[in-house]
């Protein structure tokens, strides 16, 4: 939970004038905008026509946002990324013929295709916030590292050379950072190229969910607990699997996802493993679902006639964040996120439950008048079933180091 590299002291530099040639400013944002315009927006008519024809081949449907995201998925499925200086890797016609492009080439293709789709994008250049934060007050081209496209008409970010970035979300390492946005108006004889430094807003916590629905059953002789376990993941929480899933063999799917299912305990025996909603034409907001049945012994302990049920283990292993040393770095979250959990435990006949009030929890971390992080838990009893409802939310990327203990308690 820290951006250690970005927090280190360093020297940044820029060249502002070359008085041997001119007294005009050089290497400022306006000059960068013209350079980036020539690299990414300038194409010949044949390239534009090829991009327009591709839209007819993709045939995206729905509203404009869905069409943009479907187009993004199509291009990432059909065009491979290969870095290099070969001119063919940045020429739209060659890319469509050979199905391979470098970062510049795939971005040029995206710009033309989106323009043909009436979703004219802006180019946004930024940094990886874990390495270097983009400083808007200091005009240096050293910050022009990572490429994004922003479609203002639908408030969607696209990362053309990032295979896992889907659903209109920027890669998490670019979020909550500044960027240089290039807007081009080609209406007149001479293009109007405008440069502006703007904030790349982080995605909302509700877009990045990892929800758990679990039903645990205890029955004599109490050697095992039977658990039906369902996980639903969206946005950044699903990136590790959703984009790759359709290309994986059944064996590789099992190897990747069995450990995800076994977060409640390594001794669990998994059966009936099922996957739902892998990447299709439109992944925006659609969960990747893992569902299974698990037989597991480590969720309970027996002490004579008493049974201790470890209901907290249904949430998975918790991060150990205690340290005797003073915190030096501010908290840096990967992305805003939320966890909704509905846990149910069926109580065997003849048994009653004690210590239920311990399930009511209200842990919060404050930042001024805001509550950016919280863990709220309540319980209810319905017949022979204890139900626990949990809402855990992280809706701010950074948090002061001197309040770290408050953050740790929520986690």
């Amino acid at each position: 939970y820290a951006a250690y590299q970005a927090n280190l002291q360093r020297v940044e530099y820029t060249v502002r004038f070359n008085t041997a040639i001119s007294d005009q400013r050089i290497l400022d944002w306006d000059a960068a905008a013209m350079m980036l315009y020539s690299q990414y927006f300038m194409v010949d008519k044949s390239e534009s026509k090829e991009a327009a024809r591709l839209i007819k081949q993709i045939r995206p449907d729905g509203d404009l946002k869905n069409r943009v995201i479907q187009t993004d998925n199509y291009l990432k499925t059909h065009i491979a990324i290969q870095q290099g200086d070969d001119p063919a890797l940045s020429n739209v016609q060659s890319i469509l013929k050979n199905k391979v492009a470098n970062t510049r080439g795939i971005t040029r293709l995206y710009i033309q295709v989106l323009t043909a789709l009436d979703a004219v994008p802006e180019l946004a250049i930024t940094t990886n916030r874990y390495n270097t934060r983009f400083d808007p007050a200091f005009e240096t081209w050293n910050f022009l590292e990572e490429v994004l496209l922003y479609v203002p008409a639908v408030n969607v970010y696209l990362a053309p050379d990032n295979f896992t970035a889907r659903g209109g979300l920027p890669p998490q390492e670019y979020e909550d950072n500044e960027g240089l946005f290039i807007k081009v108006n080609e209406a007149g004889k001479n293009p109007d190229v405008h440069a502006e430094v703007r904030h790349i807003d982080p995605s909302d916590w509700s877009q990045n969910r990892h929800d758990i629905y679990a039903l645990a059953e205890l029955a004599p002789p109490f050697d095992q607990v039977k658990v039906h376990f369902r996980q639903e993941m969206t946005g950044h929480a699903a990136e590790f699997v959703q984009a790759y899933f359709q290309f994986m063999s059944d064996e590789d799917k099992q190897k990747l996802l069995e450990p995800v299912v076994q977060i409640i305990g390594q001794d669990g025996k998994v059966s009936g493993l099922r996957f739902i909603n892998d990447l299709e034409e439109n992944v925006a907001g659609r969960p990747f679902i893992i569902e299974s049945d698990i037989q597991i012994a480590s969720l309970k302990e027996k002490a004579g006639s008493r049974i201790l049920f470890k209901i907290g283990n249904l949430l998975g292993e918790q991060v150990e964040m205690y340290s005797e040393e003073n915190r030096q770095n501010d908290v840096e979250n990967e992305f805003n996120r939320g966890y909704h959990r509905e846990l149910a435990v069926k109580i065997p006949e003849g048994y009653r439950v004690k210590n239920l009030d311990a399930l009511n929890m209200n842990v919060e971390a404050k930042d001024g008048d805001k509550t950016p992080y919280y863990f709220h838990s309540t319980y209810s009893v319905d017949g022979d079933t204890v139900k626990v409802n949990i809402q855990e939310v992280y809706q701010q990327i950074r948090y002061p180091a001197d309040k770290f203990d408050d953050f740790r308690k929520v986690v």
Side-chain angles (χ1 to χ4, degrees), residues 60 71 76 94 108 151 161 169 185 205 233 235 255 304 358 407:
T71 301
K76 286 176 177 173
S94 298
R108 295 175 81 246
V151 184
D161 65 348
L169 303 182
N185 185 352
W205 69 267
M233 292 170 278
K255 287 180 180 178
F407 176 79

Side-chain angles (χ1 to χ4, degrees), residues 301-409:
E301 291 181 5
K302 295 173 67 176
S305 61
R306 296 185 176 185
I307 300 172
L308 174 64
F309 184 75
K310 304 174 184 177
I311 193 169
N313 286 21
L314 291 174
L315 305 181
E317 184 179 359
Q318 301 302 296
V319 178
E320 178 55 60
M321 300 176 64
Y322 178 77
S323 175
E324 294 183 356
E325 298 180 0
N326 290 330
R327 178 81 178 188
Q328 300 297 317
N329 290 279
D330 288 346
V331 170
E332 184 92 13
N333 283 288
E334 291 180 315
F335 48 87
N336 292 330
R337 60 203 183 278
Y339 305 90
H340 175 74
R341 283 80 171 245
E342 294 182 14
L343 313 178
V345 182
K346 292 194 70 173
I347 308 304
E349 186 176 354
Y351 282 79
R352 58 191 177 91
V353 185
K354 291 185 176 181
N355 204 29
L356 284 175
D357 287 342
L359 297 173
N360 287 328
M361 301 179 69
N362 188 19
V363 184
E364 298 179 342
K366 296 284 189 179
D367 190 6
D369 296 332
K370 298 185 296 182
T371 306
Y373 316 114
Y374 59 84
F375 182 101
H376 295 167
S377 172
T378 59
Y379 81 91
S380 62
V381 179
D382 184 7
D384 63 350
T385 303
V386 175
K387 298 180 178 180
V388 183
N389 190 294
I390 299 170
Q391 190 78 353
E392 183 178 357
V393 169
Y394 301 83
Q395 52 188 335
Q396 183 172 297
I397 297 295
R398 298 184 182 92
Y399 196 60
D402 59 5
K403 295 183 178 181
F404 179 72
D405 280 347
D406 294 339
F407 176 79
R408 179 179 59 80
K409 289 173 184 176

Side-chain angles (χ1 to χ4, degrees), residues 167-213:
L169 303 182
Q172 55 185 271
E173 59 269 25
Y174 307 161
E175 291 188 335
D176 206 14
N177 198 7
E178 308 303 314
L180 182 66
F181 286 71
I182 312 300
K183 182 178 181 180
V184 177
N185 185 352
E186 303 268 16
K189 291 183 178 180
N190 298 315
D192 179 19
V193 181
H194 177 70
E196 181 183 10
V197 175
R198 299 206 304 266
H199 191 66
I200 300 169
D201 291 329
S203 51
D204 189 74
W205 69 267
S206 62
Q207 297 175 283
N208 308 305
R209 301 285 293 270
H210 186 171
D211 300 340
I212 291 175
Y213 302 85

Side-chain angles (χ1 to χ4, degrees), residues 8 28 44 57 61 79 83 91 108 116 126 142 163 168 172 203 256 372 390 402:
L8 293 175
D28 60 6
D44 59 42
Q57 182 177 331
D61 56 11
I79 308 292
Q83 302 301 348
N91 178 272
R108 295 175 81 246
T126 187
N142 292 343
F163 183 76
Q172 55 185 271
S203 51
L256 175 66
I390 299 170
D402 59 5

Side-chain angles (χ1 to χ4, degrees), residues 154-167:
V154 289
N155 192 29
V156 157
Y157 283 95
L158 304 174
D161 65 348
N162 188 315
F163 183 76
T164 62
R166 306 290 178 109

Side-chain angles (χ1 to χ4, degrees), residues 78-92:
H78 292 83
I79 308 292
I81 301 299
Q82 176 184 311
Q83 302 301 348
D85 297 327
D86 185 344
L89 296 174
S90 59
N91 178 272
V92 169

